[in-house]
Amino acid sequence: MTQPPIADPWPAPRAHTPVTAAVSLPGSKSLTNRALLLAAIADGPSVVSRALRSRDTLLMAAALASLGARVDTDGADWAVTPAAFTADATIDCGLAGTVMRFVPPIAALSTGTVAFDGDAHMRQRPVGEVLTALRTLGVDVSGDGLPFTLHGTGAVAGGTVVIDASASSQFVSALLLAGARYERGLDVRHAGAPVPSLPHIEMTVEMLREHGVVVDAPSDPGGEPDRWTVSPGPVKAVDRAIEPDLSNAAPFLALAAVSGGRVVIRDWPRVTTQPGDELRAILTAMGCTVEYVEDGLAVAGPGTGRLQGLEKDLHDVGELTPAIAALCALASTPSHLTGIGHIRGHETDRLAALARELGALGADVTEEPDGLLIRPATLHGGVFHTYADHRMAHAGVIIGAAVDGVLVENVATTSKTFTDFAPFWAALFGAPQEA
């Protein structure tokens, strides 16, 4: 049945009683888009099972199709036939950082001209380090940010590149994902402040190895800090099942925390490279009870009156910051979130946006160069703006679950990683739910 139109701004549901629910999440965006890209450069066809169907992943599928791959997205399992890389193409990045950054290094293998553009907000996000690296490798690139164009010759020699990946781990992952298809492989060296979100690079390395690619990484015994090498060779076709998106679990587990309820996330993996797995430790530190159960992971919350503040460096898990900051604004003791200056370059300047929007609802927030200081305060209703950022929308609905009268502007931006998030979220309030 077609969902009714979503009001804008959307009245966020208020949890007047503890919420009890069991939730099946869509697949991981990070895993889905890496899997699709590797399937498109593999040595044969493969299937990506339980792929996330969202705007970002459909943009990735469309980008790969423009380069000559066949991606059948009709069902839950997406069949991929590798790309031919022979035609001119136009790539719409939308708001997907993985499309803007991951696709150019493989588009450089094309014999055609490949043009990239995206939504207006996307033009503010950094990609220059990837384009500079490609130029170093001999690729003809016009432009230093969206829009930009690659003029392919059908091959990339490969070799050594030095980049500053302090703004995004995706710069490293983008190059590593394509490196095996370059004639001499790739030697990526980082020079700059520490790379954020290292678990995402570890995810890339693990997936490459599962495809038979030889990768040397800093975390290996004897590995060299800030250096990754990829040997040239085939990318083996692999059928892959996608894990639930653990970062998307943040608002649902936060709902248990603020309502004093209990939420189970089904099929939570016991071993994973997803940064969202850090939610287990974060929520425990804030006073929640966290345990593996037969169905997945269960979180029982203390409720807003007993929720503890958090002092934590979120450098490696910056994408969790909006949801965690919202929880901290509802906590009974102060919080200090640090190591997250790099999230100023995400879909929006998330530090400034969080300070502004939480503050507008009464939160006591001090914005710092690389973090947020949040003190207990009485919150009130109002409009929470999202800046076309799905994680900001998550922060808004978390506040709305504990505070009357919160209106979330453009909640539909959550379709980036979770189609129909708003009705799904609203269905959790009231009687125990199976969602």
Side-chain angles (χ1 to χ4, degrees):
M1 183 175 68
T2 302
Q3 295 285 352
I6 297 174
D8 190 14
W10 185 64
R14 174 78 157 87
H16 293 286
T17 58
V19 173
T20 301
V23 176
S24 295
L25 291 176
S28 162
K29 180 196 72 172
S30 297
L31 290 170
T32 297
N33 274 356
R34 284 166 172 77
L36 291 174
L37 188 141
L38 288 169
I41 61 173
D43 59 6
S46 58
V47 175
V48 179
S49 301
R50 299 201 295 271
L52 170 66
R53 181 179 299 276
S54 72
R55 187 184 182 211
D56 272 25
T57 58
L58 291 171
L59 284 168
M60 178 63 83
L64 299 172
S66 296
L67 294 174
R70 291 202 303 273
V71 186
D72 183 356
T73 62
D74 286 343
D77 301 337
W78 295 6
V80 183
T81 302
F85 297 108
T86 56
D88 292 347
T90 299
I91 306 296
D92 177 12
C93 301
L95 286 170
T98 49
V99 176
M100 179 179 71
R101 294 163 180 158
F102 289 4
V103 176
I106 68 162
L109 299 167
S110 176
T111 57
T113 296
V114 185
F116 290 78
D117 205 350
D119 292 5
H121 277 279
M122 198 61 172
R123 295 187 178 191
Q124 309 304 315
R125 299 189 67 183
V127 69
E129 288 293 326
V130 174
L131 303 183
T132 298
L134 291 176
R135 288 192 183 97
T136 300
L137 297 171
V139 180
D140 184 0
V141 183
S142 302
D144 295 312
L146 283 179
F148 60 85
T149 302
L150 274 64
H151 308 276
T153 60
V156 178
T160 299
V161 292
V162 179
I163 64 172
D164 181 352
S166 58
S168 176
S169 67
Q170 288 183 359
F171 298 162
V172 175
S173 287
L175 296 166
L176 298 183
L177 286 165
R181 291 291 306 271
Y182 294 173
E183 293 173 355
R184 292 188 284 124
L186 200 56
D187 183 344
V188 179
R189 306 183 188 196
H190 162 68
V195 180
S197 304
L198 282 173
H200 277 114
I201 300 179
E202 293 165 4
M203 175 188 293
T204 298
V205 169
E206 180 174 301
M207 293 181 72
L208 283 166
R209 288 170 172 167
E210 289 168 355
H211 282 265
V213 176
V214 177
V215 186
D216 293 323
S219 57
D220 297 336
E224 185 176 332
D226 293 330
R227 182 182 182 186
W228 298 261
T229 62
V230 180
S231 299
V235 178
K236 182 176 65 176
V238 173
D239 291 337
R240 181 182 300 278
I242 301 299
E243 297 173 359
D245 191 323
L246 304 189
S247 294
N248 260 349
F252 299 99
L253 298 181
L255 181 56
V258 302
S259 74
R262 184 176 186 270
V263 171
V264 174
I265 303 297
R266 295 193 185 97
D267 302 319
W268 191 288
R270 298 295 180 103
V271 178
T272 181
T273 56
Q274 289 192 65
D277 192 47
E278 184 65 14
L279 284 166
R280 295 186 297 113
I282 291 171
L283 291 169
T284 298
M286 297 190 77
C288 297
T289 300
V290 180
E291 60 180 342
Y292 287 111
V293 294
E294 184 177 353
D295 288 346
L297 186 80
V299 170
T304 55
R306 295 186 296 276
L307 196 63
Q308 297 297 303
L310 181 71
E311 184 165 334
K312 189 168 180 64
D313 184 336
L314 297 177
H315 187 262
D316 284 345
V317 291
E319 67 189 37
L320 301 179
T321 302
I324 299 307
L327 279 178
C328 291
L330 297 166
S332 59
T333 58
S335 298
H336 195 195
L337 307 179
T338 59
I340 42 180
H342 63 281
I343 71 172
R344 294 185 184 280
H346 283 194
E347 281 81 343
T348 188
D349 180 339
R350 284 179 173 166
L351 290 184
L354 286 165
R356 183 182 303 116
E357 298 307 316
L358 292 172
L361 300 185
D364 183 353
V365 183
T366 299
E367 178 187 348
E368 300 178 329
D370 80 332
L372 297 169
L373 182 61
I374 305 173
R375 306 170 190 85
T378 301
L379 274 60
H380 55 74
V383 177
F384 190 97
H385 298 91
T386 63
Y387 309 88
D389 184 341
H390 59 140
R391 303 294 183 200
M392 287 296 295
H394 290 168
V397 300
I398 292 168
I399 297 294
V403 177
D404 289 327
V406 174
L407 304 171
V408 180
E409 174 263 340
N410 189 20
V411 73
T413 194
T414 51
S415 65
K416 177 181 174 71
T417 54
F418 196 134
T419 303
D420 294 330
F421 172 86
F424 188 101
W425 178 260
L428 300 177
F429 292 74
Q433 299 287 330
E434 291 286 319

